[in-house]
Amino acid sequence: MTRTIGRWLLALALGAIGVLHFIQTRGFRVVVPDWASRITRMDKDAIVIASGAAEVSLAAGLLTLPRERRRIGWATAAFFVAVFPGNVHQWRTQRSTPGLDTDARRFGRLFLQPLLVAWALWATNAPSRPRRRR
């Protein structure tokens, strides 16, 4: 039951942040490092929209695809790892976004990322069932 609640909370958070990527694209653009545009050949707005779409998709998968729960958990964890350089970029460039408007908050955000990875893996990993004795 606890993992189910954790999974739902994770999905709701991912979905809400994903939707914000579509509504407040400009605010998320400061997190995208310049090198990401060069590597992907996408402008920063497109990267923000794509990451928002990924978040909404992962959230939907967490809620609607129970047979794929573990894979979606790993994909969610991988997504959190993939966007981590953006968090480092935001901290290093001292660019503010809502809620991350001080150096201390931006630095603290870096430590949230590993917790999100762990949360995704924990919430989507079904507890092992005890084996029956024969």
Side-chain angles (χ1 to χ4, degrees):
M1 180 68 153
T2 306
R3 287 179 200 259
T4 300
I5 292 169
R7 189 173 58 257
W8 276 82
L9 290 173
L10 179 61
L12 291 173
L14 270 172
I17 295 296
V19 168
L20 282 177
H21 279 67
F22 297 107
I23 297 170
Q24 299 177 349
T25 304
R26 186 175 181 190
F28 287 96
R29 194 175 11 187
V30 301
V31 180
V32 179
D34 293 334
W35 57 261
S37 292
R38 287 191 302 273
I39 289 172
T40 62
R41 297 183 183 162
M42 297 166 59
D43 66 25
K44 290 185 178 190
D45 287 335
I47 292 171
V48 170
I49 295 295
S51 66
E55 287 173 321
V56 169
S57 298
L58 290 166
L62 287 169
L63 297 176
T64 62
L65 300 171
R67 290 185 179 170
E68 299 299 323
R69 185 172 296 146
R70 187 172 285 186
R71 288 182 207 194
I72 295 170
W74 278 98
T76 303
F79 175 81
F80 289 142
V81 170
V83 300
F84 184 70
N87 300 51
V88 173
H89 171 74
Q90 182 181 15
W91 170 65
R92 290 188 65 192
T93 59
Q94 300 176 321
R95 303 290 304 267
S96 292
T97 55
L100 296 171
D101 52 358
T102 67
D103 287 340
R105 288 181 179 176
R106 288 185 289 269
F107 185 69
R109 171 71 174 88
L110 300 178
F111 295 95
L112 177 62
Q113 210 69 13
L115 296 176
L116 290 172
V117 170
W119 183 8
L121 296 175
W122 170 80
T124 58
N125 188 15
S128 57
R129 295 184 177 144
R131 294 183 182 204
R132 289 189 205 181
R133 294 185 185 188
R134 292 182 186 194

